[in-house]
Amino acid sequence: MPATVLAWLVFVGILYFISVSNYLLFHSLAELFSISVAAAVFMLVWNTRRFMENDFLFFIGVSSLFVGAIDLFHMLAFQGMGIFPDDGANLPTELWIAARYLQSVSFLAAVLLMRRKLNQRLLVMSLAGVTALLLAAIGIGVFPDSYVNGLTPFKTVSEYAICLIFGVSALRLRGERGAFSPRIRNLLIQLMLFTILSELTFTFYIDVYGLSNFWGHIFKILAVYCLYKAVIETGLNQPFDLLFHGMKRRETELENSHKLLHEMATRDPVTGLANRLLFETRLLHALQKAQRSNYAGIQSM
């Protein structure tokens, strides 16, 4: 068994032991991890926004900040925390759905607008406005109920809709070959797939402290870990693969074109044998080398 898989199994085992002992502690740790990564991704993309060749990562980084903010409220409002007057399961479930809708739509919009230059200030203001509206709708009771003696139809349908949005985003991103290195693209797709698994798991739980809720958060941790690997780890260790991938790709294409032109100029296109130009070039180099050798021999006498 690979060491990475074994490490994850041990990690999940530890988290399961924590969840059995104190589910609120497990839930808080899972959410704090996702909130911390979201904040770190935002800080990285915000401070490197001037060097980015497209605004996809900027879009994802800014939306992650606002999704993390809603997740923070979700963590604080979770049943049993006792922070908000309404200590039931409906409020945190509404916040969860709002955060996932914002995250999924942001990913889809980022993929669809990848080739366009965005107004970054307008994007930040728009995402801030949407987040404020979602929180206000939940606060005044306009947002549809998501948990009333069990999952409501709105919550279940929303989870499937969120899965569909992430699925479309993953398929669309899979066709983008030149925007990122294959490793980053694959990590982002894995992020979406783990999020889909998380949402599907949340469609049939009957207890916010139950096993389905536990596995839903485990899949979320895996999705957030993929985001960490794709953006933070790569941005710090291999910034050219993240920020300047297009420049690196164009440099490689230029080198390949130069090699091709050199081959076309010095070899016969049919036989592949050296032509007269290559012969004369090599002969000239050989004569120059022989002259330098003779000159060195005379100087040593």
Side-chain angles (χ1 to χ4, degrees), residues 15-34:
L15 290 180
Y16 179 72
F17 175 78
I18 294 174
S19 71
V20 172
S21 303
N22 189 329
Y23 196 86
L24 284 177
L25 175 60
F26 158 74
H27 182 264
S28 297
L29 291 174
E31 294 300 332
L32 283 174
F33 173 66
S34 65

Side-chain angles (χ1 to χ4, degrees), residues 176-177 180-189 241 245:
E176 291 288 345
R177 299 293 181 180
F180 307 104
S181 66
R183 176 178 177 273
I184 294 177
R185 187 180 68 250
N186 291 337
L187 282 170
L188 291 173
I189 292 175
D241 285 347
H245 178 68

Side-chain angles (χ1 to χ4, degrees), residues 35-174:
I35 294 167
S36 300
V37 172
V41 169
F42 169 75
M43 288 187 286
L44 179 63
V45 301
W46 181 261
N47 289 287
T48 57
R49 63 189 185 279
R50 293 171 295 175
F51 310 109
M52 293 181 180
E53 296 183 330
N54 64 68
D55 287 324
F56 174 84
L57 288 175
F58 182 79
F59 203 142
I60 296 304
V62 174
S63 65
S64 294
L65 177 69
F66 293 109
V67 170
I70 301 178
D71 280 339
L72 177 61
F73 284 107
H74 163 76
M75 181 191 74
L76 297 175
F78 198 74
Q79 185 176 5
M81 293 292 284
I83 296 176
F84 291 94
D86 180 6
D87 196 35
N90 185 48
L91 177 58
T93 308
E94 289 179 345
L95 289 164
W96 174 272
I97 291 297
R100 302 289 78 75
Y101 264 127
L102 180 60
Q103 183 184 22
S104 60
V105 173
S106 296
F107 260 93
L108 180 59
V111 173
L112 295 177
L113 300 175
M114 183 179 295
R115 299 298 180 182
R116 299 184 182 181
K117 191 64 179 176
L118 303 178
N119 185 323
Q120 295 182 346
R121 179 177 298 181
L122 178 60
L123 176 62
V124 174
M125 294 176 61
S126 299
L127 289 171
V130 171
T131 303
L133 287 174
L134 287 172
L135 292 175
I138 293 172
I140 64 179
V142 176
F143 198 88
D145 289 333
S146 299
Y147 193 98
V148 180
N149 297 322
L151 302 181
T152 64
F154 167 77
K155 199 270 187 183
T156 303
V157 172
S158 292
E159 298 284 18
Y160 289 128
I162 291 166
C163 290
L164 178 61
I165 296 171
F166 271 116
V168 173
S169 301
L171 291 175
R172 185 69 177 82
L173 184 61
R174 189 172 180 269

